[in-house]
Structures are given as C-alpha cells and as structure tokens.
Amino acid sequence: MSSLRSETQEVPSHATMMVLAAHPRRLADVLDIRLSAPLIRRLQSCARLHDRLAPLLIQQIAGSNDTPPEDTTDLEEQRATFERLFRADLTQASSLAGAAWHALSLRQMIRGRDVASLIAHIGQRAHAFGLRRDGIAPALRSVGPDALAEHIRRDGYACLSVWISSFMPPMRQRLHVRLPPESAEPPEWTDVQRTLALGLMDPVLSELDDSTNVPN
C-alpha cells in the first residue's frame, strides 16, 4: 500500500506541469519583470507555489477555438497529437517548421561558407529537414544566412503559434507558456497560410519522433 501511495504522489498535477514547463520570462511577466532568472527557477522548483502560479500563467492566454470537437475520435486524435507536441523540444520544432516553410530559400543557398553559417544558426537537422520539403514561402532574393535564419526563426515560431491555437484551452495553456512571450504572438496570416502551417505539424513531429540521433 505504501508503494502505491508513493507512486500516486509522484504523479505531477496540471499546475505543477505547467509551472515547471513555463518559460522563465512568462513567470517574470506575471510576477515582476525585474526578477532574476535564478530567482525564477527557485520559484518554479517550489512545489508549494505551483497552485498559485499556474492561474497567473493561465490568465496570460487568450484565444478562440474553445469549443471541444463533437466527434470523440477527433478529440482523441487531438489529445494524441498534443502529447507528441508537449514531449517535443519546441525550439527544435520551430526550427524544423521554419526550415520547411523556407525550403526554397534553403536550396538557393549553396556557398559552403553561407551554408555553414546558416547551419550554425538553425542546426543540421533543421537544414536537412528543410531541404527534403517542398517549401511554402517564395524564395527570398539576395538573402544572407543571418537574414534567412531570422526568417526561419520568426516563421517557425509563427507555425508553432498556429498549431497551439488549434488545441483546446487546457492543452493550449500547457504549450503556450513554454514559449518566450515574443515568440508566441499569433501571426497575421491568411487562412490559407494557417492551413499550410497546420499541414507541417505532423511531418515535424514525425521527424522529432524518428530522427533523435541526428545532431543539432
């Protein structure tokens, strides 16, 4: 019985998972932006505060799509997709999505020095993944590796924002707070662009599921 009790106590609550996974600046924004990173980490590690901090994080989150799917199968599929995304490294996921979004620009960057510089920014895995995709955005003309890396970073996080907004509020909350504030703003994209972004979610998650041995 004591063993069962111990196992039960080790299961983290929703509040605990949200606070521990939160980006430190999310907590600083709701508490005091002057708080240092070490102090924020101490607050995150204090289990007694989790039930008080989680509601503050939830208040940051706004959005639509709050009506649950009527089809039970759709809801179960959404939960399964959420679990895959929640386990993923969101920074890596955004790099993969951004590289896929700008695949046409990746292909036109062929100078060895430029390619090496770009890979230093986005990682080998994202670069290789992008080259295997068809691409969505038109190829950027006369763009250097630093500028292309910034486009990939920005649009990768925009894809993440679209993905996160597609989930139900409890799922959305747990994902949203893991991103730095400036990276989680909803993009001003058309419905077509949002649909294309959603189409990248499964390929990106499959890459993260299946290619864990590829160096970053």
Side-chain angles (χ1 to χ4, degrees), residues 7-50:
E7 291 178 0
T8 302
Q9 291 175 343
E10 291 176 358
V11 177
S13 67
H14 173 75
T16 292
M17 289 189 292
M18 175 173 289
V19 173
L20 290 178
H23 191 282
R25 286 178 53 198
R26 290 284 181 184
L27 283 171
D29 282 350
V30 299
L31 296 173
D32 189 329
I33 60 173
R34 295 169 295 180
L35 295 179
S36 66
L39 180 54
I40 289 293
R41 287 193 291 269
R42 287 174 57 190
L43 294 175
Q44 284 179 290
S45 66
C46 182
R48 292 176 300 173
L49 295 177
H50 291 170

Side-chain angles (χ1 to χ4, degrees), residues 13-215:
S13 67
H14 173 75
T16 292
M17 289 189 292
M18 175 173 289
V19 173
L20 290 178
H23 191 282
R25 286 178 53 198
R26 290 284 181 184
L27 283 171
D29 282 350
V30 299
L31 296 173
D32 189 329
I33 60 173
R34 295 169 295 180
L35 295 179
S36 66
L39 180 54
I40 289 293
R41 287 193 291 269
R42 287 174 57 190
L43 294 175
Q44 284 179 290
S45 66
C46 182
R48 292 176 300 173
L49 295 177
H50 291 170
D51 287 337
R52 297 172 62 183
L53 294 175
L56 298 177
L57 290 169
I58 292 173
Q59 289 174 12
Q60 288 185 321
I61 303 167
S64 57
N65 204 33
D66 292 349
T67 304
E70 295 181 1
D71 191 304
T72 304
T73 302
D74 289 345
L75 182 57
E76 289 302 317
E77 289 179 353
Q78 186 180 93
R79 285 173 177 163
T81 303
F82 161 77
E83 291 297 337
R84 293 173 70 197
L85 185 56
F86 186 76
R87 291 193 300 267
D89 179 334
L90 295 188
T91 299
Q92 178 71 85
S94 71
S95 293
L96 293 172
W101 192 267
H102 289 285
L104 297 178
S105 295
L106 284 180
R107 291 195 186 95
Q108 72 178 12
M109 189 162 289
I110 57 177
R111 288 180 55 191
R113 182 186 303 175
D114 289 344
V115 172
S117 179
L118 179 62
I119 289 175
H121 283 295
I122 69 173
Q124 178 66 49
R125 180 187 295 180
H127 183 259
F129 180 74
L131 291 177
R132 297 197 303 269
R133 306 298 302 177
D134 293 334
I136 295 173
L140 300 169
R141 293 185 178 182
S142 302
V143 63
D146 293 348
L148 179 54
E150 176 58 25
H151 281 285
I152 289 172
R153 185 201 67 81
R154 181 198 64 198
D155 290 326
Y157 274 118
C159 287
L160 271 186
S161 181
V162 171
W163 300 353
I164 290 172
S165 68
S166 71
F167 291 102
M168 290 298 300
M171 304 176 195
R172 188 166 64 233
Q173 292 158 2
R174 290 172 61 186
L175 292 167
H176 196 92
V177 298
R178 295 177 61 189
L179 297 174
E182 72 278 6
S183 300
E185 293 298 322
E188 295 181 357
W189 279 355
T190 66
D191 290 342
V192 172
Q193 288 174 307
R194 289 176 176 274
T195 299
L196 292 170
L198 287 172
L200 289 176
M201 180 159 47
D202 189 64
V204 167
L205 293 181
S206 295
E207 172 70 15
L208 292 176
D209 290 343
D210 300 337
S211 303
T212 56
N213 294 323
V214 178

